[in-house]
């Protein structure tokens, strides 16, 4: 299966939107739980979270374990 660049960008955007919705529902959600809920690989979740943080859409408050996500925008 060959995906176009446009399809990949759309998939990434949809994944990021879904991640933001999950964070809205549970700011303490883990990367592992996000991966399980969206049925995508943990490394994909990590890339999406980094992208969202770089664009100032979300931020991590506190430690990696025990901290929580804050939605900025």
């Amino acid at each position: 299966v060959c995906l176009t660049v446009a399809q990949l960008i759309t998939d990434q955007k949809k994944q990021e939107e879904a991640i933001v919705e999950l964070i809205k529902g549970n700011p303490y959600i883990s990367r592992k739980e996000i991966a399980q809920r969206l049925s995508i690989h943990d490394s994909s979740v990590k890339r999406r979270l980094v992208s969202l943080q770089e664009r100032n859409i979300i931020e991590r408050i506190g430690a990696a374990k025990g901290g929580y996500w804050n939605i900025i925008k």
Side-chain angles (χ1 to χ4, degrees), residues 3-73:
L3 295 175
T4 67
V5 173
Q7 286 172 316
L8 289 173
I9 292 169
T10 300
D11 288 346
Q12 290 173 1
K13 185 167 176 53
K14 286 179 182 175
Q15 288 174 358
E16 288 179 354
E17 289 169 357
I19 288 170
V20 170
E21 288 304 311
L22 287 174
I23 290 171
K24 283 180 185 175
N26 176 11
Y28 293 92
I29 194 166
S30 68
R31 190 169 75 204
K32 182 178 177 181
E33 188 176 346
I34 292 170
Q36 290 171 343
R37 298 272 301 273
L38 300 181
S39 299
I40 59 177
H41 199 275
D42 184 64
S43 61
S44 294
V45 174
K46 184 177 182 178
R47 284 193 303 275
R48 305 294 173 261
L49 290 171
V50 168
S51 173
L52 289 165
Q53 288 174 296
E54 287 174 347
R55 296 187 343 247
N56 292 318
I57 295 171
I58 63 170
E59 65 182 342
R60 184 74 181 173
I61 307 292
K65 291 188 178 187
Y68 63 93
W69 295 103
N70 182 45
I71 297 173
I72 301 169
K73 292 183 185 176

